[in-house]
Amino acid sequence: MECSKTTVTVTLGQDNLFFFPIDNTRKTDKEGIQNLRTAIEKVGKGLKFVNAMIPMKWIQVYDQFSKLVEVDQKARSFLSLKEVMGVAKLCGMPSQKVKEQVGDGALEHEVKEMLRYFHQVGVINYHLEPGLQDLVILDPQWMVESATRIIRELGDDKLHEIEQDEEARKHVDLWDDLRKRGILDAKLLAVLWDDPSRTKVKDKLLLLMEKFDLVIPMKPKENGAIEKYLVPSLLPPDDAVKENAELPNLREKYPIWKWCVFYFSTQETKKDVYSVEEMKKH
């Protein structure tokens, strides 16, 4: 079986909108949520991999994944590719057909096909990029929780407080950098991800977050190690754009989506808001 990318054509929603409005000011918005659910089900039924026939041995492997997570969710939220291959071998993989088609390396070949399929249907998280091939996340929610230890409301109301915040706040400057400037220091990350499961695969988790632009590495140190990361979703509102005296004129001259803001380290710059067209001239 081959797992390939699928192009999905989505039918327009209610009132020919490309999105599904949901009123979150009401306790229940049954109509909006039901419209969204119906559209998802409709699209899902048309996806090839949803209705695909898969080998029984793949199901047996996934059952083993589920048992591992059920026994110890924190410790077994992920496996290495080698560990997955061990589980697959115990379940009778690779199939005779794959052996004949691939020869040497048949087990790894079929395991990766299986993992890609499970990733497509959303029951695990697996990526083939260099640096990520060896990480098989059995519990996708664990990955989400890893990201939300960083990307969340970090205000004084402590709405999204986690256990590690008490220690993190002791690093006053680093905590302020994250809260106020969207800059994550590696030392603070070590505190926020201070548990055995995440510490073990910290570099791979960071690579995964980089893949989805959740964090962006900043200038490395001389030894090549990344010391700080930019967290785009935590960047503060741009006061330079808000307060700039030229803003009314710029609004008329350029659409807002063509603005690009740069901060310079000297005071010699005469202006701090440029359009894309102006930047191309420099």
Side-chain angles (χ1 to χ4, degrees), residues 67-174:
K67 289 177 182 177
L68 287 171
V69 175
E70 186 178 340
V71 170
D72 192 342
Q73 187 173 16
K74 291 184 178 179
R76 307 308 296 176
S77 295
F78 62 88
L79 293 175
S80 68
L81 181 61
K82 184 177 180 180
E83 288 174 317
V84 172
M85 288 172 64
V87 174
K89 191 172 182 179
L90 289 174
C91 292
M93 291 174 60
S95 68
Q96 186 60 38
K97 182 178 180 180
V98 174
K99 286 180 183 178
E100 293 172 356
Q101 292 177 340
V102 178
D104 293 340
L107 177 60
E108 182 174 351
H109 175 85
E110 186 175 0
V111 163
K112 286 184 176 179
E113 286 295 311
M114 175 188 69
L115 293 175
R116 287 171 60 193
Y117 173 79
F118 287 156
H119 175 86
Q120 281 188 310
V121 296
V123 294
I124 68 162
N125 200 288
Y126 182 65
H127 302 267
L128 288 168
E129 287 84 352
L132 294 175
Q133 290 189 38
D134 195 47
L135 178 65
V136 182
I137 298 177
L138 306 182
D139 180 14
Q141 184 61 31
W142 177 81
M143 174 59 209
V144 173
E145 290 172 359
S146 300
T148 55
R149 288 194 179 192
I150 301 165
I151 303 171
R152 54 193 164 100
E153 177 57 54
L154 297 169
D156 296 328
D157 56 9
K158 299 183 180 181
L159 180 63
H160 299 126
E161 183 89 353
I162 61 173
E163 180 183 345
Q164 288 77 10
D165 284 355
E166 182 178 354
E167 180 64 27
R169 286 193 178 91
K170 295 178 182 178
H171 303 267
V172 179
D173 292 341
L174 302 184

Side-chain angles (χ1 to χ4, degrees), residues 226-244:
I226 304 297
E227 192 173 37
K228 295 181 184 293
Y229 294 83
L230 190 67
V231 186
S233 59
L234 294 183
L235 288 173
D238 186 19
D239 294 333
V241 171
K242 285 184 176 180
E243 299 172 4
N244 193 281

Side-chain angles (χ1 to χ4, degrees), residues 186 202-203 217-229:
K202 183 188 73 172
D203 292 341
M218 298 179 72
K219 186 178 179 180
K221 295 189 292 186
E222 291 182 1
N223 63 3
I226 304 297
E227 192 173 37
K228 295 181 184 293
Y229 294 83

